[in-house]
Amino acid sequence: MAARPHSSISISAAAATTTANYPRLYLRRPHLCMPRYPSINQTTPCFLPHHLIIRNANNSVDDIHIIQRRRLLLLPSPPCVFTDDASAHLLQDAGATLLVVAGGYALVSGFDNLTHHQIIQQNLSRKLVHILSGLLYMGCWPIFSTSAEARYFAALVPLLNCLRLLVHGHSLVTNEELIKSITREGKPEELLRGPLYYVLVLILCSIFFWRESPIGVVSLSMMCGGDGIADIMGRRFGIHKVPYNKHKSWVGSISMFIVGFLISIGMLYYFSKFGYFELDQVQTIERVAVVAMAATVVESLPSKGGIDDNISVPLVTMVTAYLSFGLQS
């Protein structure tokens, strides 16, 4: 007997019978994407037009996950690829570095012009650069990315200044405006002492403490703000000298303690607002007061023939802050 062709009604009935007797299958077709784990024969990741996953409706999600994990054990480790996040962090850090370098150059050039036009004195200009350059540099840390390499990009800024000081300090290149703006006596070799120590401390705090630790924040605040204001106030109003050092005054030391303490508190809460660390208000005030007192005493000690303030003040501050806050990195 010749086979009679199925009608559309019979085909539908047969499909319904098949569906009733066998488990239902689901088909999932995700969008075009790079597979997270390439196949065994692949050496480089590739794009698949469709990644089909067919699973039984009666299988549980846990069973599917177990099967997938077993399959992954047979596959090689995924190759390292340059992700979009890494490229975004790189661009952000590079842009932030250029921005901070340009800002530092503009700051120094601005005070050079003020000194050149005799609007402010050279000593005052030098100390204002000492105060503002370090504090503004530290204040720019939040514009860098959250990557682990961000601190090294930030450290490039003082590193460039370090190389600049070495070149001009050894008289390989002459720049009279630079020498006058950041030295006391206008001698090139002075660049290899206080100014060089200053940028080295900036590099040290950037790499080893960064913005997640209050130790580096307080150290730079005391070195830049506290020590800088002590010299300004001591030169102008320092009539009464401390008993053990005729070159230091009570006004300068008191100013260093107060201003250094306030700047340290302000910078700590500035970074805490970005979520880099949490601070207890009472304990923070007590600890910063202890650190500021230790830094003030060290700054008031005789330094002629000894250690420069740009070394002694931040180092003592780091040790005292470590003992007060604990190492948080």
Side-chain angles (χ1 to χ4, degrees):
M1 178 185 290
R4 184 169 55 90
H6 294 286
S7 65
S8 60
I9 297 177
S10 63
I11 293 176
S12 299
T17 303
T18 303
T19 305
N21 294 333
Y22 296 96
R24 184 177 301 174
L25 299 179
Y26 291 92
L27 183 64
R28 187 171 63 188
R29 297 171 179 259
H31 297 288
L32 290 176
C33 61
M34 180 180 292
R36 185 177 179 183
Y37 297 95
S39 63
I40 297 176
N41 296 328
Q42 285 179 315
T43 58
T44 57
C46 63
F47 288 93
L48 297 178
H50 294 286
H51 186 60
L52 305 181
I53 302 176
I54 302 177
R55 63 187 178 96
N56 195 304
N58 296 327
N59 288 346
S60 64
V61 177
D62 294 336
D63 294 338
I64 298 300
H65 290 169
I66 293 174
I67 295 172
Q68 290 177 347
R69 284 197 295 269
R70 289 176 178 174
R71 289 176 178 175
L72 295 179
L73 292 175
L74 301 176
L75 299 179
S77 300
C80 296
V81 294
F82 197 66
T83 63
D84 293 338
D85 288 341
S87 61
H89 290 164
L90 178 62
L91 292 176
Q92 180 180 350
D93 291 333
T97 301
L98 294 176
L99 181 63
V100 178
V101 169
Y105 180 80
L107 176 69
V108 176
S109 298
F111 279 102
D112 286 344
N113 291 330
L114 293 177
T115 304
H116 179 73
H117 292 89
Q118 298 181 351
I119 299 177
I120 60 176
Q121 298 177 354
Q122 191 270 337
N123 286 331
L124 179 59
S125 173
R126 179 176 61 86
K127 276 302 173 182
L128 290 177
V129 171
H130 175 98
I131 295 172
L132 295 177
S133 59
L135 294 180
L136 292 177
Y137 164 72
M138 180 171 55
C140 291
W141 284 355
I143 69 176
F144 290 86
S145 73
T146 57
S147 67
E149 295 77 17
R151 66 181 67 199
Y152 301 107
F153 279 92
L156 287 176
V157 179
L159 179 60
L160 292 175
N161 287 325
C162 179
L163 297 176
R164 184 185 182 192
L165 294 174
L166 290 173
V167 169
H168 291 90
H170 289 288
S171 299
L172 300 178
V173 178
T174 303
N175 189 336
E176 295 296 334
E177 294 182 357
L178 174 66
I179 296 174
K180 290 180 180 180
S181 61
I182 59 178
T183 60
R184 294 178 183 268
E185 301 176 3
K187 299 179 180 179
E189 56 268 21
E190 290 185 71
L191 298 175
L192 304 177
R193 295 195 289 270
L196 181 61
Y197 304 149
Y198 182 91
V199 296
L200 289 177
V201 171
L202 294 181
I203 297 173
L204 177 67
C205 290
S206 301
I207 294 177
F208 292 99
F209 298 110
W210 196 218
R211 57 198 176 194
E212 290 86 5
S213 172
I215 299 175
V217 175
V218 176
S219 299
L220 293 185
S221 298
M222 293 303 304
M223 182 188 72
C224 302
D227 184 41
I229 201 67
D231 186 81
I232 295 176
M233 298 301 293
R235 289 178 180 274
R236 289 179 174 269
F237 309 105
I239 300 175
H240 304 285
K241 307 297 182 180
V242 296
Y244 48 86
N245 189 356
K246 65 179 181 178
H247 298 289
K248 302 292 182 178
S249 65
W250 284 107
V251 172
S253 296
I254 294 173
S255 300
M256 176 176 179
F257 175 80
I258 295 175
V259 175
F261 171 81
L262 294 177
I263 292 178
S264 298
I265 291 292
M267 295 303 295
L268 285 175
Y269 278 95
Y270 169 74
F271 283 102
S272 67
K273 290 297 182 181
F274 286 95
Y276 295 121
F277 45 74
E278 296 181 359
L279 299 172
D280 178 83
Q281 183 174 0
V282 176
Q283 291 183 354
T284 299
I285 293 175
E286 294 175 351
R287 292 169 179 174
V288 172
V290 172
V291 174
M293 179 59 68
T296 301
V297 172
V298 170
E299 193 275 338
S300 66
L301 296 175
S303 59
K304 187 175 181 179
I307 302 177
D308 190 273
D309 289 344
N310 289 332
I311 296 179
S312 61
V313 171
L315 288 183
V316 169
T317 304
M318 290 176 191
V319 174
T320 311
Y322 176 84
L323 297 175
S324 300
F325 290 95
L327 185 60
Q328 301 177 14
S329 58

